[in-house]
Amino acid sequence: GALGMGGEEQAHPEQQWLDMVWEANRRDVTLLTAFSNAAIAGHTFVKLLPSGAVHPVMGTDVPRLVALNPYYVSAFWQADDAERVLWYRIEYDRMRQDIVRERYDNGADTGRWLIYNYRKENDRANWALAGDVEIHPYAWAPIVDWKNLPDPTNFYGRDSIGIAGAMNDSLNFVLSNTQRIIKYHAHPNTVVTGANKADFQDTAVNRLWTIANENARVTNVEMQSDLSSSMGFAAVMREALFAQFRELDPLSVQDKLGAITNFGLRVMYSDTLNKQGVKRMLATPALLMLCRNILEIGGYNRSV
């Protein structure tokens, strides 16, 4: 940045514009929503509107960023090029918006994106065009998308939750069975031998049973195990679950943290760090494109 009269460094106008737009759109909250959507659905979409956000301090109207619910968005891509989106569709309730790449009859792009808004009067009605077709004023689509984790066979990415779904269900099943054993067998069960049912007499003292048979013998049957084998098996399954998530189980390092160097921690968490690196690699081009589009709306054509 350039130095001001007082010697302090001042940001370029482009950077000031970017900062203002991100501040007006609550950058951290918006990005957290976008990345959370990616982790849950496998893919995320951010819509960029030319206006609609107001800076909290300056009151300036600036472009608005909307982290779309990915379950309401569909992308249609070119058959031989999955990275080339032909149109986006946003559909919910009885409203639908198609953002379409305009093309000539010979298939070449015109450099424009057209926006069609549709509405249904009821569930059985056909989609009816609501209003005129809008021409997006820029050569780029108003939606930027990216994958959470790569899926070479699909346009959409892989989510971070369903990766180990079957393993998670198995672990829950083992723990549920262990809980039932504890529920029904953790307390002692009283057993009487040498007496018949007719020999029991109920008293009013704390539901005490007396036995009118001198040959009766009363004993307690208690568990002979603390279920360490079941808990050990659950621990093995938990470790496998975290391995499938490419995460390190925090319980496996609790007693070692004080003795591990920073390098050792990075080695232990290397798979987790590599996974986060893949996520950053997939998100970075989309975020750069988003910033470039914001700059163009503000009248700046510098690259980021």
Side-chain angles (χ1 to χ4, degrees), residues 8-178:
E8 69 278 5
E9 187 173 359
Q10 295 181 345
H12 287 291
E14 296 94 330
Q15 186 63 55
Q16 292 177 349
W17 168 251
L18 275 177
D19 292 342
M20 184 167 61
V21 172
W22 280 113
E23 288 173 6
N25 286 276
R26 300 182 303 165
R27 180 193 62 187
D28 293 345
V29 175
T30 300
L31 290 179
L32 176 61
T33 302
F35 279 99
S36 297
N37 286 339
I40 295 172
H43 213 91
T44 193
F45 303 85
V46 177
K47 190 174 186 179
L48 176 58
L49 303 174
S51 63
V54 179
H55 193 274
V57 177
M58 303 177 63
T60 309
D61 183 76
V62 297
R64 182 169 178 235
L65 298 167
V66 183
L68 299 174
N69 185 335
Y71 293 107
Y72 293 156
V73 186
S74 301
F76 301 83
W77 56 92
Q78 191 167 306
D80 60 346
D81 187 355
E83 294 184 359
R84 183 178 177 77
V85 177
L86 301 180
W87 80 88
Y88 295 96
R89 173 170 294 168
I90 306 171
E91 183 177 339
Y92 56 93
D93 296 332
R94 297 191 182 102
M95 305 294 295
R96 189 182 106 193
Q97 183 179 79
D98 286 358
I99 302 171
V100 182
R101 186 193 297 268
E102 188 182 39
R103 310 181 82 175
Y104 294 111
D105 292 338
N106 61 4
D109 293 340
T110 67
R112 301 193 308 180
W113 288 82
L114 306 180
I115 301 175
Y116 298 82
N117 292 300
Y118 297 93
R119 182 180 291 111
K120 271 186 177 183
E121 296 300 328
N122 54 64
D123 291 337
R124 295 186 178 182
N126 295 324
W127 290 107
L129 190 63
D132 297 330
V133 178
E134 302 175 28
I135 299 176
H136 186 59
Y138 301 98
W140 36 264
I143 291 181
V144 173
D145 66 280
W146 67 88
K147 295 180 179 182
N148 173 59
L149 289 171
D151 184 352
T153 64
N154 201 341
F155 168 84
Y156 302 106
R158 293 186 300 122
D159 64 83
S160 297
I161 296 177
I163 297 174
M167 178 64 72
N168 187 54
D169 291 341
S170 299
L171 174 59
N172 288 337
F173 182 72
V174 170
L175 293 176
S176 178
N177 284 343
T178 304

Side-chain angles (χ1 to χ4, degrees), residues 281-300:
M281 179 179 64
L282 294 171
T284 297
L287 294 176
L288 287 175
M289 181 184 300
L290 196 58
C291 289
R292 281 195 291 266
N293 296 347
I294 292 172
L295 285 172
E296 186 172 345
I297 293 176
Y300 303 102

